Amino acid sequence: ATLFFVLQKNGMAIESTTVLLATVSITSVAWIITALVTRPTDRSVLITFYQTVRPSGPGWRDIRRDAGVAARPDSLANAALGWVLGCVFIYSALFGTGSLLYGRFSIALFWIAGFVVSGLGLLKLVPLIWAGETDRMD
């Protein structure tokens, strides 16, 4: 990214899509090579991490078994929905407030509706997501 920045500042015309694709490609190749040439993390570290964090997903199955900890009742779908609702909630509040300040009341109503709907969705969803968290609040 720095190289592209310097080249562009020195007058070289490089499309932003080219910069993005090249940066993502170079970064991906770098982390894949790093993952393949370095030693794996010690299993005891993974077990301790799992006991502390209890991440969800099928990739942790062997570690979960060795850690002797039950799987969390997490739902990736609920987590993704919570993320989307949270983003809509925040951005609707920001854009709704801006629209009100600039006197654009019709568009402000749209953003306020998005704020209210996403807020109600979060009120119903968050207790479902946090239902299994009480055993981890030490």
Side-chain angles (χ1 to χ4, degrees):
T2 305
L3 174 65
F4 287 122
F5 176 77
V6 170
L7 290 174
Q8 287 174 329
K9 285 295 181 184
N10 287 316
M12 183 174 239
I14 305 172
E15 292 288 327
S16 59
T17 52
T18 303
V19 172
L20 177 66
L21 291 174
T23 303
V24 169
S25 299
I26 292 167
T27 303
S28 297
V29 167
W31 75 256
I32 289 170
I33 289 172
T34 302
L36 292 174
V37 300
T38 57
R39 285 189 343 254
T41 302
D42 185 45
R43 194 163 188 82
S44 65
V45 172
L46 292 174
I47 290 171
T48 302
F49 173 79
Y50 187 85
Q51 290 169 334
T52 304
V53 178
R54 289 178 55 198
S56 57
W60 291 98
R61 188 176 306 122
D62 294 341
I63 301 297
R64 182 184 320 118
R65 183 188 64 241
D66 292 348
V69 178
R72 291 193 35 186
D74 290 343
S75 165
L76 184 58
N78 281 348
L81 179 60
W83 178 81
V84 169
L85 287 174
C87 289
V88 170
F89 184 76
I90 296 297
Y91 282 110
S92 293
L94 292 172
F95 293 140
T97 302
S99 297
L100 284 173
L101 290 173
Y102 282 108
R104 297 180 178 145
F105 299 110
S106 58
I107 194 71
L109 287 175
F110 169 78
W111 291 117
I112 291 169
F115 176 77
V116 170
V117 170
S118 61
L120 292 172
L122 284 169
L123 284 174
K124 290 186 71 89
L125 184 65
V126 167
L128 295 174
I129 293 173
W130 287 354
E133 297 292 317
T134 55
D135 61 332
R136 295 181 54 214
M137 301 291 188
D138 350 320

